[in-house]
Amino acid sequence: MRHLVLFAVVACGFAVGSGGTLQEAAAVDKSYRVVDGTADARTYNGYRRYHAGCNHCHGPDGVGSTFASSLVDRPLDIEEFRRVVRNGRSSGGASVMKGFANDPNFAPYIDDIYAYLQARSEGALGRGRPKRVEP
C-alpha cells in the first residue's frame, strides 16, 4: 500500500514538475485543455461553432432553454453526442432536432463542440467567451 501511495505522489510530481499543474495532470483523459481559464484552440473553436448554431436552441453556454435541453447539466458521452448531432433526435413529442451530418459548418467540428461542452460541464470553463491560447 505504501508503495502505491509513493508511486502516485511521484507520478503527480513528475506531471507537475514537467511544466504542468496538478489540474493538467488530472485532465489527461479530457477532450479539452483549459489552464487558468484559457482554452486550447480546439475547445475555443468548439465555443465558436456552438455559438454559431447550437445556442439558438440549447441556450448560451449550453445551459438549455425552454426549447431544448441543457448540454452541460447531463452531458452525453462522446459517441452518443456524435450520433445525435449527425442524425438528429426526436423525443416523440413536439421536440425535434435535425441532424447536421451534411452541414460543413458543424459536421467536421463535432468533437470540438464536445470539447467545449465537456469543459463547461466539468467547470473548467465558465460562462461567456473563454480566453484562448495564442498560436
Side-chain angles (χ1 to χ4, degrees):
M1 177 69 174
R2 204 179 329 157
H3 291 137
L4 182 60
V5 172
L6 181 59
F7 174 75
V9 170
V10 171
C12 284
F14 280 123
V16 173
S18 63
T21 66
L22 190 55
Q23 179 184 9
E24 289 177 75
V28 171
D29 63 337
K30 306 298 180 198
S31 60
Y32 63 87
R33 184 162 182 253
V34 175
V35 178
D36 297 327
T38 302
D40 63 292
R42 175 184 188 181
T43 305
Y44 186 81
N45 186 50
Y47 162 84
R48 290 180 51 245
R49 298 293 173 168
Y50 176 86
H51 284 86
C54 309
N55 74 319
H56 303 300
C57 295
H58 290 282
D61 306 307
V63 298
S65 70
T66 57
F67 188 71
S69 63
S70 168
L71 298 174
V72 296
D73 287 343
R74 292 183 353 177
L76 301 173
D77 66 61
I78 185 68
E79 292 304 322
E80 177 75 2
F81 184 79
R82 287 174 181 150
R83 187 185 63 70
V84 169
V85 174
R86 286 183 187 126
N87 303 328
R89 174 179 273 180
S90 175
S91 66
S95 178
V96 176
M97 179 179 140
K98 74 172 191 157
F100 292 89
N102 296 319
D103 188 325
N105 294 308
F106 296 101
Y109 306 105
I110 292 172
D111 287 3
D112 292 2
I113 296 168
Y114 185 83
Y116 164 68
L117 292 170
Q118 184 183 37
R120 285 278 301 122
S121 177
E122 295 178 358
L125 284 179
R127 295 192 69 178
R129 181 182 296 272
K131 294 182 278 181
R132 67 177 171 164
V133 173
E134 294 299 322

